[in-house]
Amino acid sequence: MLVAADVGGTKTNLGIYELSGDIHSPVAKATLASAEYDSMISLVSEFLKDTGLNPEYAVFGVAGPVMESRSTITNLRWIIEENVLKKELGMKSVRLLNDLQAIAFGIADLEREDLFTLNQGRKTPHGAMAVIAPGTGLGEAYITQDESSRYAAHSSEGGHTDFGPTDALETRLLSHMFGQYEHVSYERVCSGIGIPNIYSFLRDKEGYEEPAWLFSRLSQSDDKTKTILTEAVNTSAPCELCSRTLEVFLSILGAEAGNLALKVMATGGVYLAGGIAPKIVSAFPESPFMKAFIGKGRLSHVLEHIPVNIILNPEIALMGAARFGLEHLCSSA
């Protein structure tokens, strides 16, 4: 058996699979709050204890760079090592993947209903694909294909590259952020940790009024990003400050998605993943996302033809980790 996991800064999705089974049908699965555990070992151990199962193989997609079989979860500060996990969990083999790499491996198993199309475009056979995923942080990855359409998924830490403003307001946002951070990456303004930064900038520097009821709600909230986004898409009682925050966020996200598409020439398509995009699908069509995505001057005509889709399946990274494990670790078992 194989245990797979999508390990995020907020939550961890886990599943156990038969070696000859279907990745859409795990034997057992669970979602656990990552921050409630002091290590990956304690989290996985509890999951296995609860299931009563003893898988021999493991693949963990983790929210951080994987280097020399080791990773530190960027927004959690866990240190994860393949050899330590293998020993402590008593397994034959353990593999770590960057979480975006895991998502990339899962794209081949998506169904039509798993996608929301923002730009139909014209997909190039065997063309590279790009994945951008705003969640707690901002993840990025890309996929290359050979002539037989076999995937090779590549991790990236592009979300930590320098934020590049595309208009006057974003330039003021960057200047404001330099007062708080030594380095301002895209993740600082284009993720779950970034949305409150945009919100406070618009409130404190751009003159947008924060309603008293919203101040009270945010003061009591453990998840300010969720509160801001909930009010941003609340069409029955719109909040201008929250709506403007979402608009700026989607413009920045569109621009960075376009940057990534150009860098890897993603003629096979761009996929939006992560915890945020699927929850605010209704906001995309009328937002500046696609305008910012395409707006690349002399190369805009290239972006116009690239398919862009939002991945709606919340288990895509878990599916990808399982797919990798069943194909690469367990094929000879």
Side-chain angles (χ1 to χ4, degrees), residues 114-132:
D114 292 323
L115 299 171
F116 180 88
T117 299
L118 296 175
N119 191 45
Q120 191 68 38
R122 294 198 298 269
K123 186 173 184 177
T124 300
H126 315 306
M129 292 175 274
V131 182
I132 184 166

Side-chain angles (χ1 to χ4, degrees), residues 72-90:
T72 299
I73 303 298
T74 306
N75 294 306
L76 202 57
R77 300 307 178 190
W78 285 353
I79 297 175
I80 304 176
E81 298 179 84
E82 288 180 359
N83 288 338
V84 174
L85 286 167
K86 178 181 175 181
K87 178 181 178 181
E88 294 296 326
L89 297 174

Side-chain angles (χ1 to χ4, degrees), residues 56-304:
E56 299 173 297
Y57 303 91
V59 177
F60 302 132
V62 298
V66 177
M67 301 177 67
E68 297 180 346
S69 304
R70 185 178 185 271
S71 180
T72 299
I73 303 298
T74 306
N75 294 306
L76 202 57
R77 300 307 178 190
W78 285 353
I79 297 175
I80 304 176
E81 298 179 84
E82 288 180 359
N83 288 338
V84 174
L85 286 167
K86 178 181 175 181
K87 178 181 178 181
E88 294 296 326
L89 297 174
M91 294 187 174
K92 288 184 178 179
S93 180
V94 173
R95 179 68 69 86
L96 298 181
L97 301 176
N98 173 263
D99 58 341
L100 266 292
Q101 191 178 12
I103 289 173
F105 276 116
I107 284 176
D109 292 294
L110 291 172
E111 306 288 346
R112 181 63 254 173
E113 59 268 24
D114 292 323
L115 299 171
F116 180 88
T117 299
L118 296 175
N119 191 45
Q120 191 68 38
R122 294 198 298 269
K123 186 173 184 177
T124 300
H126 315 306
M129 292 175 274
V131 182
I132 184 166
T136 303
L138 180 65
E140 298 183 2
Y142 64 100
I143 304 160
T144 54
Q145 304 180 73
D146 62 20
E147 292 184 358
S148 63
S149 295
R150 286 180 299 185
Y151 281 16
H154 310 276
S155 62
S156 164
E157 288 300 323
H160 294 281
T161 57
D162 302 334
F163 167 48
T166 60
D167 60 24
L169 184 139
E170 290 178 12
T171 300
R172 295 194 295 273
L173 170 61
L174 177 60
S175 179
H176 171 71
M177 294 293 290
F178 274 136
Q180 303 177 52
Y181 302 101
E182 181 180 351
H183 175 245
V184 182
S185 65
Y186 273 97
E187 182 170 278
R188 292 292 188 189
V189 292
C190 196
S191 66
I193 63 175
I195 285 174
N197 287 330
I198 298 174
Y199 177 93
S200 62
F201 160 72
L202 294 173
R203 180 194 62 200
D204 300 340
K205 299 297 182 179
E206 295 294 307
Y208 285 84
E209 183 178 353
E210 180 180 63
W213 62 265
L214 183 55
F215 171 80
S216 177
R217 187 171 298 177
L218 288 170
S219 298
Q220 300 173 35
S221 175
D222 293 329
D223 188 345
K224 290 180 172 56
T225 294
K226 181 179 180 180
T227 301
I228 293 167
L229 292 180
T230 297
E231 297 306 324
V233 297
N234 182 0
T235 55
S236 62
C239 168
E240 184 182 16
L241 175 54
C242 293
S243 297
R244 184 63 172 136
T245 298
L246 178 57
E247 183 180 29
V248 173
F249 165 77
L250 288 175
S251 180
I252 295 171
L253 178 61
E256 175 59 0
N259 291 340
L260 179 60
L262 284 180
K263 287 174 181 176
V264 303
M265 279 302 293
T267 57
V270 171
Y271 294 85
L272 276 71
I276 293 178
K279 293 183 175 67
I280 56 170
V281 167
S282 62
F284 276 87
E286 301 301 321
S287 79
F289 177 88
M290 281 307 305
K291 181 180 179 181
F293 179 85
I294 293 170
K296 302 300 180 188
R298 291 172 293 172
L299 272 295
S300 293
H301 67 282
V302 175
L303 279 300
E304 289 175 353

Side-chain angles (χ1 to χ4, degrees), residues 311-326:
I311 298 174
L312 303 177
N313 191 323
E315 297 186 347
I316 177 65
L318 179 63
M319 290 164 53
R323 167 62 62 204
F324 178 88
L326 294 175

